[in-house]
Amino acid sequence: MQSAKLETIKLNEPNMKRGLPFTETLSVKASAREWSDRDLSLQDLSDLCWAANGINRPEEGKCTASSAQNARDVDIYLFMEDGVYLYDACKHVLEPVMPGDFRSQLMMTPPPRPKDAVGPPPPPPPPPSNPPIQIILISDVSRFKFGPPELKPEWGAIDAGIVSANLSLFCAATGMATRPRASMDKDVIRNLLKLADTQYVLLNHPIGYPK
């Protein structure tokens, strides 16, 4: 679905010279919990999306993240301040999905402490600050054209993990900050995006510059 209140964002050509050497990237790679209020530039968004799962071999239509059966089953949704966008790798654009800031609605409320719990409650972990972008990785297993149905969600999860690794490495190489998270309110996300039964909400990447 597309909203008239948001426009398609035409991304820049990716900057192929950007970032640290690979082994140095690994030496600084870490999960973040805090982000500054610095916005990501259009070039940041362009390079980030391309690194995650953009087209790197146009003559073959192949992507930076491999996928089972070359199904390209993983969709990249970006939750930003003005709305939600879906990355279209073929056109290298962000297509509008819906207006509005839903970033604060994505995380789950911690379950209540059991009444029969013994001892003092553990201190809650500090909540992560609100990043400029929350990326949600969703696999549509209907794109796998053959194979046992019971294995397709597993394939989708593996494919999402490959995209997630690309995101983490790109952020480490370029001075951004992220962390892969499985903790999120999947029901809220499913309802917001009106997902089909074949679409699995798998991972969440908050992304921004470090605080």
Side-chain angles (χ1 to χ4, degrees):
M1 62 185 171
Q2 190 163 332
S3 169
K5 295 183 180 179
L6 293 178
E7 295 183 355
T8 297
I9 298 176
K10 175 61 178 170
L11 298 173
N12 297 342
E13 288 297 314
N15 180 357
M16 304 296 184
K17 303 295 184 182
R18 184 176 183 179
L20 300 173
F22 182 68
T23 49
E24 188 174 352
T25 296
L26 291 177
S27 74
V28 300
K29 181 176 175 289
S31 293
R33 290 198 63 87
E34 293 186 304
W35 292 265
S36 73
D37 57 3
R38 175 181 171 184
D39 289 331
L40 271 64
S41 68
L42 180 61
Q43 193 65 52
D44 289 336
L45 287 173
S46 303
D47 297 344
L48 175 70
C49 290
W50 181 85
N53 203 14
I55 303 292
N56 67 347
R57 288 157 288 171
E59 66 283 355
E60 302 176 65
K62 298 293 183 67
C63 301
T64 59
S66 56
S67 62
Q69 303 175 20
N70 193 32
R72 293 169 58 177
D73 57 294
V74 179
D75 288 322
I76 299 173
Y77 284 87
L78 295 87
F79 285 70
M80 301 194 289
E81 184 176 10
D82 63 334
V84 183
Y85 295 84
L86 174 63
Y87 177 52
D88 184 329
C90 293
K91 298 178 181 178
H92 195 52
V93 300
L94 298 181
E95 295 288 2
V97 176
M98 60 191 309
D101 188 354
F102 301 97
R103 292 172 298 172
S104 63
Q105 300 183 28
L106 302 184
M107 299 312 297
M108 295 185 68
T109 302
R113 179 175 165 83
K115 294 182 179 180
D116 58 351
V118 178
S129 59
N130 199 33
I133 292 179
Q134 293 263 20
I135 284 183
I136 304 295
L137 302 181
I138 296 174
S139 171
D140 186 347
V141 300
S142 70
R143 297 177 193 165
F144 298 120
K145 298 307 180 185
F146 56 87
E150 65 273 13
L151 289 183
K152 292 181 179 182
E154 180 180 335
W155 297 342
I158 293 169
D159 290 348
I162 296 170
V163 176
S164 172
N166 282 0
L167 287 168
S168 293
L169 288 168
F170 174 81
C171 288
T174 57
M176 296 186 198
T178 190
R179 68 183 297 124
R181 298 191 297 202
S183 175
M184 54 190 149
D185 197 323
K186 295 184 179 181
D187 289 337
V188 166
I189 294 168
R190 296 192 69 85
N191 290 333
L192 281 173
L193 301 179
K194 295 180 168 43
L195 300 180
D197 292 341
T198 59
Q199 292 177 284
Y200 288 76
V201 182
L202 294 172
L203 283 169
N204 166 24
H205 268 271
I207 294 177
Y209 279 93
K211 190 170 182 179

